[in-house]
Amino acid sequence: MRYKDCFDKERRDFLRVVSHAGISAGLIRASSVLAGVMLARTAEAQSGTPTKHCLVFNGGGCHPNRWFPSGGTLPAQSAPLQTHYSRIAMLRNASLSGAGHGVMFHRFNNGSWGEDSFDVNLGRTIGANYPVKYLNVGTTAESALSREGYTGKPIITSPQAALDVLFSGGGGGGGGGGKAPRQSVVDLHYAAVNSLRTKLGQHEKEKLDSHFTAIREIEDAIDTGGENPGGSCPQPGNTSVTGFDATAKLHADIVTLALSCNLSASVSIAFGTDAHTHFLDVLGRESHQSHHNQGNMPNAYTEDIVYMQGLTKYLLDKMAERGLFSSTIVTQVSDMGDADSHGNSNVPMLVAGAGISGGRVIDIGGKTQSELYQTLGLKLRADQSPNGGSFRNWASSTIAGL
């Protein structure tokens, strides 16, 4: 049999597995849990090949001399990422097509109001075979970061709503709705899926058991507000938690859950916004105070950046625990270089994970997020996907050396 591309083969293999198991297409569409389990066979056979992507916005920029290493040791502002440096490529002389406050669509996009942002574009292409096309979560409400055509997709700030999108048959993106996970996942999904156990192989049975165990633990944590004992998939804790730090980390748990359970191939997470008005409860101040008062607060800006990169470290830690770096590329972008001057040069961009040669600083000569997205889109084979015609062709050139 001839296939148009690797994604066409993946889709046909998936349908063949489903057909041999005697599972109806309707049930696959209704249960993201079951779809994720059945996708696992194809996904796990491609270890080391990038098939998923996590896009991170981490606001605040950096001081280049405190961000880029001269050797193998990361300086003060990037120091939290040291344990992951061997898998990270840091991009020196990276620029933004638009820096400063109030232009968030220059982060996950290239300033184009009428075209998909990178996370949404990947959802249309490499995510076409997944239950949820894309998931965009974050700490602070913002409707211009992820865009589907002319429509800004609101960042999901509620962990409960994020779980609803994953488990209530949502198509990805902002919003929520549907029933709470304790109803839709266990009460609704389990009965239907459990009736098929005699038709599933041992591998699929074990996957289903581990996923339902993990989801039940999430539900228990929501009900009790207690700590999670752990499980097969990453376990978010109490979704009623408040505060910037706790919300950021809980959303990091949720995007890791989405990737490790094969619910989505394209997720994004935003730590703060480019307005820098988010209150950093761990540090006890609004981030904007230090970013534009560096003369009067000489140490505070570095403290803020260290804290913010600690959130990226938390995400990378969780992804490493779940073995996601064999399949997933993580890309971090920011809103500017030095925040005190709203600079659009030396923006702290980095990539890590599957197919990326890490432990290096790559001078990209002023290229922007557009060239980065073009490079990663091709590395992820988004132009070959079932909807390859939807791939945007972000730039006419790429970044060498990744």
Coordinates of all heavy atoms in Angstrom, one line a residue, residues 27-39 130-132 163-170 184-185 189 193 208 211 215 261-264:
L27 N -17.2 5.8 19.1 CA -16.7 5.7 20.5 C -15.3 6.4 20.5 O -15.0 7.1 21.5 CB -16.6 4.3 20.9 CG -16.1 4.1 22.4 CD1 -16.9 4.9 23.4 CD2 -16.1 2.6 22.7
I28 N -14.5 6.2 19.4 CA -13.2 6.8 19.4 C -13.4 8.4 19.4 O -12.7 9.1 20.1 CB -12.5 6.4 18.1 CG1 -12.0 5.0 18.2 CG2 -11.3 7.4 17.8 CD1 -10.8 4.9 19.2
R29 N -14.4 8.9 18.7 CA -14.7 10.3 18.7 C -15.1 10.8 20.0 O -14.9 11.9 20.4 CB -15.7 10.7 17.6 CG -15.1 10.6 16.2 CD -16.1 11.2 15.2 NE -17.3 10.5 15.1 CZ -17.6 9.6 14.2 NH1 -16.7 9.2 13.4 NH2 -18.8 9.0 14.2
A30 N -15.9 9.9 20.7 CA -16.5 10.3 22.0 C -15.5 10.3 23.2 O -15.7 11.0 24.2 CB -17.7 9.5 22.3
S31 N -14.5 9.4 23.1 CA -13.6 9.2 24.2 C -12.2 9.6 23.8 O -11.5 8.8 23.1 CB -13.7 7.7 24.7 OG -12.7 7.5 25.7
S32 N -11.7 10.7 24.3 CA -10.3 11.1 24.1 C -9.4 10.1 24.8 O -8.2 9.9 24.3 CB -10.1 12.5 24.6 OG -10.4 12.7 26.0
V33 N -9.8 9.6 25.9 CA -8.9 8.6 26.6 C -8.7 7.4 25.8 O -7.5 7.0 25.6 CB -9.6 8.2 28.0 CG1 -8.7 7.2 28.7 CG2 -9.9 9.4 28.8
L34 N -9.7 6.8 25.2 CA -9.5 5.7 24.3 C -8.7 6.0 23.1 O -7.8 5.3 22.7 CB -10.9 5.1 23.9 CG -10.9 3.9 23.0 CD1 -10.1 2.7 23.7 CD2 -12.3 3.5 22.6
A35 N -9.0 7.1 22.5 CA -8.2 7.5 21.3 C -6.8 7.7 21.6 O -5.9 7.3 20.8 CB -8.8 8.9 20.7
G36 N -6.4 8.3 22.8 CA -5.0 8.4 23.2 C -4.3 7.1 23.4 O -3.2 6.9 23.0
V37 N -5.1 6.1 23.9 CA -4.5 4.8 24.1 C -4.2 4.1 22.8 O -3.1 3.6 22.6 CB -5.4 3.9 25.0 CG1 -5.0 2.5 24.9 CG2 -5.5 4.4 26.4
M38 N -5.1 4.2 21.9 CA -5.0 3.6 20.6 C -3.9 4.2 19.7 O -3.2 3.6 18.9 CB -6.3 3.5 19.8 CG -7.4 2.8 20.6 SD -7.0 1.2 21.3 CE -7.1 0.2 19.8
L39 N -3.7 5.6 19.9 CA -2.7 6.3 19.2 C -1.3 5.9 19.7 O -0.3 6.1 19.1 CB -2.8 7.8 19.4 CG -3.8 8.5 18.4 CD1 -4.1 9.9 18.8 CD2 -3.1 8.5 17.0
Y130 N -5.0 13.6 16.5 CA -5.2 13.6 17.9 C -6.5 14.0 18.4 O -7.2 14.8 17.7 CB -4.1 14.4 18.6 CG -2.7 13.8 18.5 CD1 -2.0 13.7 17.3 CD2 -2.2 13.2 19.7 CE1 -0.7 13.1 17.3 CE2 -0.9 12.6 19.6 CZ -0.2 12.6 18.5 OH 1.0 12.0 18.4
P131 N -7.0 13.6 19.6 CA -8.3 13.9 20.0 C -8.5 15.4 20.2 O -9.6 15.9 19.9 CB -8.4 13.2 21.4 CG -7.5 12.1 21.3 CD -6.3 12.6 20.5
V132 N -7.5 16.1 20.7 CA -7.6 17.6 21.0 C -6.6 18.2 20.1 O -5.4 18.0 20.2 CB -7.4 18.0 22.4 CG1 -7.4 19.5 22.6 CG2 -8.5 17.3 23.3
L163 N -8.9 20.8 31.8 CA -9.2 19.4 31.9 C -10.5 19.1 31.1 O -10.7 18.1 30.5 CB -9.4 19.0 33.4 CG -8.1 18.9 34.2 CD1 -8.4 18.6 35.6 CD2 -7.1 18.0 33.6
D164 N -11.5 20.0 31.2 CA -12.7 19.9 30.4 C -12.4 19.7 28.9 O -13.0 18.9 28.2 CB -13.7 21.0 30.6 CG -14.3 21.0 32.0 OD1 -14.2 20.0 32.7 OD2 -14.9 22.0 32.4
V165 N -11.5 20.6 28.4 CA -11.2 20.6 27.0 C -10.6 19.2 26.6 O -10.9 18.6 25.6 CB -10.2 21.7 26.6 CG1 -9.6 21.5 25.2 CG2 -11.0 23.0 26.7
L166 N -9.7 18.7 27.5 CA -9.0 17.4 27.2 C -10.0 16.2 27.3 O -9.8 15.3 26.5 CB -7.9 17.2 28.2 CG -6.7 18.1 28.1 CD1 -5.7 17.8 29.2 CD2 -6.0 17.9 26.8
F167 N -10.9 16.3 28.2 CA -11.7 15.1 28.4 C -13.2 15.1 28.1 O -13.9 14.2 28.3 CB -11.5 14.7 29.9 CG -10.1 14.3 30.3 CD1 -9.4 15.0 31.2 CD2 -9.5 13.2 29.7 CE1 -8.1 14.6 31.5 CE2 -8.2 12.8 30.0 CZ -7.5 13.5 30.9
S168 N -13.6 16.3 27.6 CA -15.1 16.4 27.3 C -15.3 16.5 25.8 O -16.3 17.1 25.4 CB -15.6 17.6 28.0 OG -15.5 17.5 29.4
G169 N -14.4 16.0 25.0 CA -14.6 16.0 23.6 C -14.3 17.3 22.9 O -14.8 17.6 21.8
G170 N -13.6 18.2 23.6 CA -13.4 19.6 23.1 C -12.4 19.5 21.9 O -11.6 18.6 21.8
S184 N -17.2 13.5 33.2 CA -17.0 13.1 31.9 C -15.9 12.0 31.7 O -16.1 11.2 30.8 CB -16.5 14.3 31.0 OG -15.3 14.8 31.4
V185 N -14.9 12.0 32.5 CA -13.8 11.0 32.2 C -14.2 9.7 32.9 O -14.2 8.6 32.2 CB -12.5 11.5 32.8 CG1 -11.4 10.5 32.5 CG2 -12.2 12.9 32.1
H189 N -16.8 8.0 30.4 CA -15.9 7.3 29.6 C -15.7 5.8 30.0 O -15.7 4.9 29.2 CB -14.5 8.0 29.6 CG -14.4 9.3 28.8 ND1 -13.5 9.5 27.8 CD2 -15.1 10.4 29.0 CE1 -13.7 10.7 27.3 NE2 -14.7 11.3 28.1
V193 N -15.8 2.4 27.6 CA -14.5 1.8 27.3 C -14.3 0.4 27.9 O -13.8 -0.5 27.3 CB -13.4 2.8 27.7 CG1 -12.0 2.1 27.5 CG2 -13.4 4.1 26.9
L208 N -5.2 1.7 29.3 CA -6.5 2.2 29.8 C -6.5 2.2 31.3 O -7.0 3.1 32.0 CB -7.6 1.3 29.2 CG -8.0 1.6 27.8 CD1 -9.1 0.6 27.3 CD2 -8.6 3.0 27.7
H211 N -4.4 5.0 32.7 CA -5.0 6.3 32.5 C -6.1 6.5 33.4 O -6.3 7.6 34.0 CB -5.4 6.4 31.0 CG -4.3 6.6 30.0 ND1 -3.0 6.6 30.4 CD2 -4.3 6.6 28.7 CE1 -2.3 6.8 29.3 NE2 -3.0 6.7 28.2
I215 N -6.5 9.4 36.2 CA -7.6 10.4 36.1 C -8.3 10.4 37.5 O -8.7 11.4 38.0 CB -8.5 10.1 34.9 CG1 -7.8 10.4 33.6 CG2 -9.8 11.0 35.0 CD1 -8.4 9.8 32.4
C261 N -0.3 11.4 27.6 CA -1.5 10.5 27.3 C -2.0 10.6 25.9 O -3.1 10.1 25.6 CB -2.6 10.9 28.3 SG -2.2 10.5 30.0
N262 N -1.2 11.2 25.0 CA -1.5 11.3 23.6 C -2.9 12.0 23.3 O -3.6 11.5 22.4 CB -1.5 9.9 22.9 CG -0.1 9.4 22.8 OD1 0.8 10.0 22.3 ND2 0.2 8.2 23.4
L263 N -3.2 13.0 24.1 CA -4.4 13.7 23.9 C -4.3 14.8 22.9 O -5.2 15.2 22.3 CB -5.0 14.2 25.3 CG -5.3 13.2 26.3 CD1 -5.7 13.8 27.6 CD2 -6.3 12.2 25.8
S264 N -3.0 15.4 22.8 CA -2.8 16.5 21.9 C -1.3 16.4 21.5 O -0.5 16.0 22.2 CB -3.1 17.8 22.6 OG -2.8 18.9 21.6

